Amino acid sequence: MSLMEQFANPETMQSLSIGDKLAGAGITTVMGMGITFVVLILLWGCIAFMTKITYRPKKGDKAPQTTTDAAAPPSAAADITDHSAIDENVIAVIAAAIAAYEGGSPNNLVVRKIRRISGETTAWGDAGRADCIESRKF
């Protein structure tokens, strides 16, 4: 009679030594954790498989390239944040702000790419905090 069969009968369970009880408990624990782990791996595999089947990337994910004057050579390229929902008015305002900062004309500026800059805060927020801290120094 195997150890696990002895565990099934409550009367023989009382007659087992501490070592046999610990061995049976260890086997039960390993089997329970092993089955759980195998089932979780199967679920992960099913979810990954279903994702590959059902995921369809959007065709219009890329933002269109906007140029203000194609014939003039660009004086600066704007590499800004990316959202597919940015409309042309926002791009025009950003291009005008960069042109004003550079001291040139917006007609000489070409917006080539719009992408999100990594980090939790914006450059404007960081600059504002740095200015505030600098103004409090003695």
Side-chain angles (χ1 to χ4, degrees), residues 34-56:
I35 290 171
T36 303
F37 191 66
V38 167
V39 169
L40 286 174
I41 288 174
L42 289 174
L43 283 173
W44 171 77
C46 289
I47 290 171
F49 180 70
M50 296 288 278
T51 301
K52 288 187 185 240
I53 290 174
T54 60
Y55 178 70
R56 304 263 190 264

Side-chain angles (χ1 to χ4, degrees), residues 12 19 21 28 39 46-47 52 94 102:
T12 58
K21 288 179 184 178
T28 304
V39 169
C46 289
I47 290 171
K52 288 187 185 240
I94 292 171
E102 294 286 325

